[in-house]
Amino acid sequence: GVHRASGLDDGGRPAFRRGAWRVFGLTPAGRPFAWPAGQAALGDLELGLKHRLAGPGPARAALVARIGLPTSTGPLRQRAPTLGLQLAAAHDLGASTVLQGGGGVILGGPRPVAGVGYSGTRGQAFVGLERRIGARASLHVQADLASRLVDGIDRYPGVHAHLLLGASRDVGRAGRLELALVENLRDQQATADLAFHAAFSLRPAP
């Protein structure tokens, strides 16, 4: 229904059986591969650190670092950590609108999973707008652009682009509820076609 209303490509998904797990493709050499169904695993545990570079005030900036520890299981199991670095900034555009943006890099791609390799270095950038509604709620729109995720799949796109539409609301003194819809804008065979984001975060008291 979302694709019919928006006119965006659905990647031929109505032709596939519903509720089926399907991961298959061709390597650049033309060899077929497929991931077995029914496998479940946990991903890496991530630790993050944020350091404010500028603000408070109308212009704010922060450096964000995140390390992925090799604690994953099953077919996702890794043997080395990964490191992510990002510079994020925000600037008030009047009393109720905030322009946000940033860019970053991920270093140390994971080992191949079921014959599919991951890029060792990956870049990402985003730009977004937040529109405050009253003192506790906001509407969000954000565009993301990222470089290649995996190697070894024939004609796999080298750039991924997403659009996020969402809303957030403060709950109590330290909580925030976030809901969003994420749509793939470039190639429906590259990443999740349509995704939903829901989160509840707690912020320490100042």
Side-chain angles (χ1 to χ4, degrees):
V2 171
H3 289 100
R4 287 194 298 270
S6 63
L8 295 171
D9 181 22
D10 62 10
R13 280 168 173 75
F16 288 88
R17 182 163 57 91
R18 291 178 179 269
W21 168 258
R22 299 169 62 94
V23 181
F24 59 90
L26 296 173
T27 69
R31 294 190 299 271
F33 73 89
W35 291 11
Q39 289 192 350
L42 296 176
D44 287 348
L45 177 68
E46 292 188 355
L47 301 177
L49 178 67
K50 299 179 182 179
H51 177 67
R52 188 170 65 187
L53 301 176
R60 303 171 295 282
L63 182 65
V64 183
R66 182 171 284 117
I67 184 169
L69 304 177
T71 57
S72 47
T73 64
L76 299 179
R77 184 172 181 82
Q78 303 300 322
R79 296 183 176 86
T82 57
L83 176 65
L85 296 172
Q86 183 186 59
L87 179 64
H91 194 284
D92 293 337
L93 302 177
S96 59
T97 303
V98 183
L99 175 65
Q100 303 160 342
V105 63
I106 298 174
L107 305 173
R111 69 177 179 86
V113 177
V116 177
Y118 286 77
S119 299
T121 302
R122 191 178 190 215
Q124 182 265 353
F126 76 95
V127 61
L129 279 175
E130 176 183 356
R131 177 73 175 182
R132 299 191 183 100
I133 302 176
R136 303 181 67 83
S138 294
L139 296 177
H140 304 266
V141 58
Q142 178 175 308
D144 295 301
L145 191 67
S147 64
R148 179 181 298 277
L149 174 63
V150 299
D151 295 310
I153 300 179
D154 188 35
R155 296 193 302 273
Y156 192 83
V159 176
H160 304 157
H162 289 88
L163 179 68
L164 177 148
L165 300 174
S168 63
R169 179 175 175 80
D170 292 338
V171 180
R173 294 179 122 187
R176 170 168 286 193
L177 177 65
E178 301 174 359
L179 299 172
L181 174 73
V182 184
E183 171 66 36
N184 186 331
L185 293 180
R186 283 183 59 87
D187 192 317
Q188 308 304 330
Q189 308 299 337
T191 60
D193 175 17
L194 183 65
F196 298 93
H197 167 83
F200 183 78
S201 61
L202 290 173
R203 302 182 302 275

